Amino acid sequence: MNTSLSWIKAYVPDLDCSAQEYTDAMTLSGTKVEGYTEFDKNLDKIIVGKINKIEKHPDADKLIICQVQVDEEGKEIQIVTGAPNVKEGDKVPVVLEGGRVASSHKDGDSENGFKIKKGKLRGVESFGMMCSIDELGSSTDMYPDAAKDGIYILSDNPEYAEAPVGSDAVELLGLHDVAFEYEITSNRVDCFGVLGIAREAAATFGKKFVPPVITETGNEEDVNDYISVEVQDSALCKRYTARVVKNIKLAPSPEWMQRRLASVGIRPINNLVDITNYVMEEYSQPMHAYDLDTIEDRKIVVRRAADGEKFTTLDGQERELDSTMLMICDGRKAVGLAGIMGGENSMITDDVKTMLFEAATFDGTNIRLSGKKLGMRTDAQAKFEKGLDPNTAMEAMNRACQLIEELGAGEVVGGAVDYYPVKKEPISIAYDADKINALLGTDISEDDMVGYFETIDLEVDREKKIVIVPTWRQDLERLADLTEEVARFYGYDKIPMTLPESSATMGGLSEKLILESEVRGVVESYGFCEGMTYSFESPKVYDKLNLADDDMLRRSIVISNPLGEDYSVMRTSALGGMLTSLATNYNRRNKDVRLYELANVYLPKKLPLTELPDERVQMTLGMYGQGDFYDMKGVLEEIFSKLALTGKREYSPLAGKNFLHPGRQADVVYEGKPVAYLGEVHPAVLKNFGIGERAYLAVVDLAELIAMPKEGVKYAGIPKFPAITRDISLMMKKEILAGQIEAAIEKKGGALVESYELFDIYEGSQILDGFKSLAYKIVFRANDRTLTDDEVNGVMDKIIAELDKLGASLRK
């Protein structure tokens, strides 16, 4: 949003401040000024001069020597110029010796402009310079009567023709002005118009706000004899107003209007177009004009477009529409895209005789989505998107018709068409001075608060303690909003620093995060460093892991808009990322690498997806260098211990993981549920990932472990009775697992077995091929008595008998 200071002063006539003072004050009161441009920057000692005499330069065909009068007493200076458009008697802007012109001069710079010095041109002295509009820091957009290439001839404009010689040319041209750029938040729709900014400026500086007085317009005719309106979708069009102007007289708009429009970046075109743009900037209410002679059946229909409907807009482009878009149509065809752009078939031309004016309120969300679909962006669309106040539409319409009559642009037909089925009413908000002060930490009187509210045109009922909010202040809904109004006009810089008054709350981590932190501590104590890899995966990793075609890990979710093939599916396992990280470290010659990752995996319940996948947290461990299968198993055992999972767990060699060595892998089963697996990486997989030595992996389903019931730590007293120890050496086939031996010891030893320990494994020449020897130390103890040898021997006989059933015999 942009405004010029002169435009603001039109509604706040007593405003007197510098550009920097305005910027600071408006920003502090909540209307943030991003920056400003001074139109008279670097313009100094520029006066109105009159060319009394012109002579040819004796040594240059393209130069002339001018005697220029610079004051009313008749003083003249000599200026040499190459401008082709001057003649004797012309009044022109003249910069005197020592003065400055804007940086647009070819020898100037953006900060300091160009300083005029006495000099010689081909041997003839020159004591100043006559200025073009560019050298005055402006353009023909703001001054259409100025020559594009040549000196600005002031006397060609009746407004400047009588200006006294020697007077300030910068003031004459209205260049003592500033254009401000604002950052307006989307909830302050009223401040997207100059009137809204002016109202804020008046409140900020404590000045009177004087909005334009709108007078009644229209002849004795009835607009309903010219046009009828039918709105088929009141949800997308809350209000539609229309008026008719006949006997159109197209002409340039007055200079004051052209300058105001140009100062905010709008190029003046003609009086009708300029009036619609002027009112749009003034009231933040877009308007549109149609040639009434092109409106068939003299009827306006507001309806949704049909799917696939084609429409050519004012810019000459054919657009394909759909049924979500709102159209303005006549009795037979579409004539405009509602809130965005009119149609080429109803555009205003130089031959227009009768014009239809439209001011409406369309649904902001629909306008934004329609423009986005069509790839369009217009000034009107940008304002409609914010959600306009429907009560402003008729006021803006009447303002435009008033300007038409004042500028002699046409004859306004009496009356107006106004479709407004559900009128928007002001809301009431209760205020409480004590609560407002409590929120701000201030001691502002109720009288001051009421004064702030009334300054910005909020009506206050002091008896009922309510503020009646006009419909154009859509951002005020509750007491907190009123508190903000008090704060910004009282002054944020005046609000004292206070500590919040509240009771403290106890922070902390959830049980899940606590357990994850404990597991992290375990693996980090064993030298593992945390890594992090992408949740996106390449489907090629399944082949690198040697997964079977029907492996469940291949059932991954395909991303609809992937970054590329390498990131096209959601991972079902973090193994690919872990092995890639190990390979990177190996190729960089890092030794003894241990990594872990707490990774989310995404396991679809059904493909294609019909519901959200099972998103589970898994801990993936990977290492190479020092350490082997049993070191990795020890880490898992420590995790179980840390989580107080003391239930029955088994290590099953039937894991069946194709990416692990077939004889060096195991599933970890806890209380009958598989919760983890570990093993040495298959040599083929090592080769696929470029790892040149043995590596080991473990994957722990943390979600499953965290859900398991935990047992607290149990303490036992120091034994009162002595223990009896027995060593046993067994010979068995290699296929028999140590776990089976230990299960037999537990089963038959019962409560008398305090502990057992495998202390020797032997496979060698002294035993048969295909056999192995395991040696255990078994400790027996009773809590209530001293055991006898006969008791222990009896238990040992039961254990040996059970082992014999497994095929394990005593080694002799």
Side-chain angles (χ1 to χ4, degrees):
M1 176 64 194
N2 296 337
T3 70
S4 64
L5 185 58
S6 62
W7 201 345
I8 296 295
K9 287 182 176 180
Y11 312 123
V12 191
D14 296 333
L15 184 62
D16 183 19
C17 60
S18 68
Q20 192 59 54
E21 289 171 343
Y22 180 90
T23 296
D24 295 341
M26 291 293 283
T27 299
L28 282 174
S29 68
T31 308
K32 185 179 180 182
V33 179
E34 284 287 287
Y36 60 84
T37 302
E38 296 173 297
F39 294 148
D40 60 355
K41 182 179 181 181
N42 299 325
L43 301 183
D44 186 32
K45 298 178 71 174
I46 301 176
I47 54 95
V48 176
K50 182 180 179 182
I51 302 174
N52 290 334
K53 185 178 180 181
I54 297 177
E55 297 176 325
K56 289 186 176 180
H57 194 289
D59 296 322
D61 293 338
K62 294 185 178 181
L63 296 178
I64 56 175
I65 304 170
C66 301
Q67 304 302 321
V68 182
Q69 181 181 341
V70 294
D71 63 22
E72 291 189 311
E73 282 72 34
K75 178 183 178 181
E76 291 185 342
I77 62 173
Q78 180 171 284
I79 297 176
V80 179
T81 181
N85 67 321
V86 296
K87 62 183 182 296
E88 292 181 357
D90 284 345
K91 287 184 178 179
V92 296
V94 175
V95 56
L96 302 175
E97 181 183 352
R100 289 184 181 275
V101 291
S103 60
S104 57
H105 189 279
K106 63 181 180 180
D107 297 319
D109 64 75
S110 59
E111 281 301 314
N112 303 309
F114 177 70
K115 187 174 183 180
I116 302 302
K117 301 177 182 178
K118 179 180 71 173
K120 288 185 178 182
L121 278 77
R122 291 289 185 93
V124 178
E125 288 186 317
S126 182
F127 297 90
M129 185 179 77
M130 294 179 285
C131 301
S132 68
I133 193 62
D134 290 336
E135 289 160 338
L136 293 174
S138 191
S139 68
T140 54
D141 285 342
M142 288 189 69
Y143 298 89
D145 59 314
K148 291 185 178 180
D149 298 308
I151 303 303
Y152 187 6
I153 309 300
L154 299 174
S155 50
D156 286 350
N157 188 319
E159 189 175 343
Y160 309 140
E162 302 303 321
V165 174
S167 60
D168 186 347
V170 177
E171 182 176 355
L172 176 71
L173 293 170
L175 288 172
H176 290 309
D177 201 358
V178 186
F180 296 98
E181 180 183 356
Y182 305 87
E183 180 184 333
I184 306 298
T185 55
S186 58
N187 65 332
R188 287 303 304 272
V189 181
D190 57 303
C191 285
F192 284 92
V194 179
L195 284 174
I197 297 291
R199 186 182 288 107
E200 289 291 310
T204 298
F205 290 95
K207 304 297 182 181
K208 186 176 181 181
F209 173 58
V210 185
V213 178
I214 300 175
T215 56
E216 186 177 345
T217 56
N219 58 22
E220 299 300 321
E221 297 178 275
D222 186 356
V223 70
N224 294 292
D225 296 334
Y226 285 80
I227 194 72
S228 64
V229 173
E230 177 188 350
V231 177
Q232 297 181 359
D233 194 326
S234 59
L236 299 185
C237 179
K238 297 178 177 64
R239 190 176 192 181
Y240 190 95
T241 67
R243 296 193 72 176
V244 172
V245 180
K246 66 179 188 177
N247 301 326
I248 298 296
K249 298 180 181 66
L250 289 180
S253 55
E255 289 199 10
W256 63 266
M257 180 176 285
Q258 293 187 34
R259 287 184 194 170
R260 287 181 183 178
L261 290 174
S263 70
V264 297
I266 298 177
R267 183 172 63 87
I269 297 175
N270 59 48
N271 49 6
L272 289 182
V273 176
D274 291 353
I275 285 171
T276 59
N277 286 332
Y278 186 85
V279 174
M280 178 176 71
E281 293 302 312
E282 191 174 45
Y283 281 85
S284 187
Q285 171 62 59
M287 303 186 68
H288 192 70
Y290 301 96
D291 186 340
L292 188 60
D293 293 332
T294 66
I295 304 298
E296 299 191 54
D297 299 337
R298 295 297 177 95
K299 182 178 183 179
I300 289 293
V301 179
V302 184
R303 63 165 174 83
R304 288 178 182 261
D307 287 328
E309 181 176 349
K310 301 290 177 55
F311 179 68
T312 302
T313 47
L314 274 172
D315 55 6
Q317 294 192 37
E318 185 179 72
R319 317 275 181 176
E320 184 173 343
L321 314 178
D322 63 40
S323 59
T324 65
M325 301 174 186
L326 195 65
M327 300 295 295
I328 309 298
C329 309
D330 61 19
R332 301 184 185 181
K333 64 183 183 300
V335 295
L337 267 172
I340 301 176
M341 187 179 287
E344 190 177 50
N345 55 8
S346 61
M347 65 186 296
I348 297 292
T349 66
D350 293 343
D351 299 325
V352 64
K353 302 299 181 186
T354 308
M355 180 188 68
L356 174 67
F357 249 154
E358 164 196 283
T361 306
F362 302 115
D363 181 75
T365 302
N366 179 263
I367 297 299
R368 180 181 64 82
L369 294 175
S370 298
K372 188 174 181 181
K373 288 178 182 178
L374 295 170
M376 301 179 69
R377 187 72 179 170
T378 64
D379 291 339
Q381 175 189 344
K383 293 187 183 295
F384 276 119
E385 287 177 356
K386 306 300 187 298
L388 301 183
D389 174 21
N391 290 329
T392 303
M394 184 54 77
E395 186 177 353
M397 171 66 77
N398 292 334
R399 172 64 166 161
C401 291
Q402 176 190 24
L403 289 171
I404 284 175
E405 288 193 349
E406 289 179 356
L407 303 184
E411 180 183 354
V412 180
V413 173
V417 177
D418 187 8
Y419 171 84
Y420 195 10
V422 181
K423 185 178 180 180
K424 185 174 182 180
E425 300 291 347
I427 65 170
S428 297
I429 304 175
Y431 74 89
D432 185 320
D434 293 335
K435 287 185 178 180
I436 291 174
N437 279 319
L439 283 170
L440 297 178
T442 54
D443 187 19
I444 305 171
S445 69
E446 182 178 343
D447 289 339
D448 287 342
M449 293 183 187
V450 171
Y452 298 144
F453 297 147
E454 293 176 341
T455 300
I456 52 176
D457 289 348
L458 305 182
E459 185 180 342
V460 181
D461 187 331
R462 297 195 64 162
E463 290 185 3
K464 296 180 179 179
K465 302 287 186 184
I466 60 172
V467 173
I468 301 171
V469 181
T471 54
W472 43 263
R473 280 304 300 269
Q474 300 180 40
D475 59 308
L476 301 182
E477 298 177 344
R478 54 186 66 87
L479 179 65
D481 299 326
L482 295 180
T483 303
E484 183 180 5
E485 298 302 295
V486 172
R488 65 192 188 96
F489 289 113
Y490 175 73
Y492 291 116
D493 55 326
K494 297 179 184 176
I495 297 176
M497 296 176 61
T498 56
L499 292 173
E501 296 181 4
S502 178
S503 59
T505 57
M506 293 298 293
L509 298 176
S510 66
E511 181 184 6
K512 172 179 175 293
L513 293 178
I514 291 173
L515 294 176
E516 287 182 2
S517 177
E518 290 179 347
V519 173
R520 273 193 175 94
V522 170
V523 297
E524 288 174 1
S525 70
Y526 279 89
F528 287 82
C529 296
E530 186 170 13
M532 186 175 293
T533 59
Y534 288 116
S535 293
F536 302 152
E537 188 61 274
S538 168
K540 296 178 182 177
V541 78
Y542 302 142
D543 297 327
K544 293 176 72 174
L545 288 171
N546 286 352
L547 294 183
D549 293 340
D550 58 349
D551 195 298
M552 293 296 290
L553 293 181
R554 285 185 179 268
R555 298 181 69 250
S556 52
I557 302 165
V558 178
I559 301 170
S560 58
N561 57 340
L563 299 174
E565 186 182 2
D566 288 343
Y567 305 98
S568 61
V569 298
M570 300 298 292
R571 67 183 174 193
T572 54
S573 169
L575 292 173
M578 177 58 69
L579 287 170
T580 301
S581 298
L582 292 177
T584 300
N585 280 275
Y586 177 80
N587 292 325
R588 292 178 180 175
R589 300 186 179 181
N590 292 328
K591 298 180 178 180
D592 301 326
V593 174
R594 294 188 174 195
L595 299 175
Y596 79 92
E597 180 180 8
L598 278 173
N600 280 4
V601 297
Y602 307 86
L603 307 175
K605 300 171 186 176
K606 185 179 180 181
L607 288 176
L609 284 179
T610 56
E611 57 181 315
L612 291 175
D614 182 10
E615 186 174 342
R616 303 180 69 80
V617 179
Q618 292 183 347
M619 171 169 276
T620 304
L621 305 168
M623 69 179 188
Y624 68 78
Q626 289 187 356
D628 56 17
F629 178 93
Y630 295 103
D631 289 296
M632 188 69 85
K633 180 183 176 185
V635 175
L636 297 189
E637 287 292 313
E638 188 63 26
I639 291 174
F640 280 101
S641 176
K642 188 67 176 180
L643 296 180
L645 295 171
T646 57
K648 182 179 181 181
R649 57 181 175 271
E650 303 175 24
Y651 288 83
S652 169
L654 305 176
K657 310 295 183 186
N658 289 0
F659 46 86
L660 297 178
H661 194 291
R664 299 166 190 165
Q665 59 176 283
D667 267 340
V668 184
V669 180
Y670 181 82
E671 297 291 348
K673 284 188 176 181
V675 294
Y677 61 83
L678 75 157
E680 181 182 326
V681 180
H682 196 289
V685 175
L686 289 174
K687 183 178 180 181
N688 291 340
F689 282 90
I691 302 174
E693 61 178 282
R694 288 184 176 184
Y696 300 88
L697 293 172
V699 176
V700 182
D701 190 342
L702 274 188
E704 195 70 55
L705 284 188
I706 290 173
M708 294 281 186
K710 314 296 188 298
E711 296 186 16
V713 177
K714 295 180 180 179
Y715 295 92
I718 297 173
K720 297 179 180 179
F721 300 96
I724 296 178
T725 302
R726 294 283 192 270
D727 290 345
I728 184 172
S729 180
L730 303 169
M731 189 168 65
M732 66 203 76
K733 292 183 178 180
K734 290 183 178 181
E735 289 77 13
I736 298 176
L737 304 178
Q740 293 174 279
I741 302 296
E742 293 167 3
I745 294 174
E746 290 181 1
K747 180 180 179 181
K748 294 301 179 180
L752 295 183
V753 174
E754 182 181 72
S755 65
Y756 52 83
E757 178 185 354
L758 175 66
F759 65 86
D760 183 61
I761 301 175
Y762 177 74
E763 297 178 22
S765 58
Q766 299 183 20
I767 58 177
L768 298 174
D769 289 341
F771 283 76
K772 63 181 177 182
S773 171
L774 302 181
Y776 280 90
K777 179 173 72 174
I778 305 174
V779 178
F780 298 90
R781 193 193 305 267
N783 294 327
D784 57 350
R785 66 188 187 281
T786 300
L787 293 176
T788 64
D789 284 340
D790 291 339
E791 287 180 291
V792 172
N793 291 338
V795 174
M796 282 296 300
D797 290 340
K798 293 178 182 179
I799 291 174
I800 293 170
E802 185 68 21
L803 293 174
D804 188 59
K805 294 178 183 178
L806 292 174
S809 58
L810 291 175
R811 185 179 175 188
K812 299 178 181 179

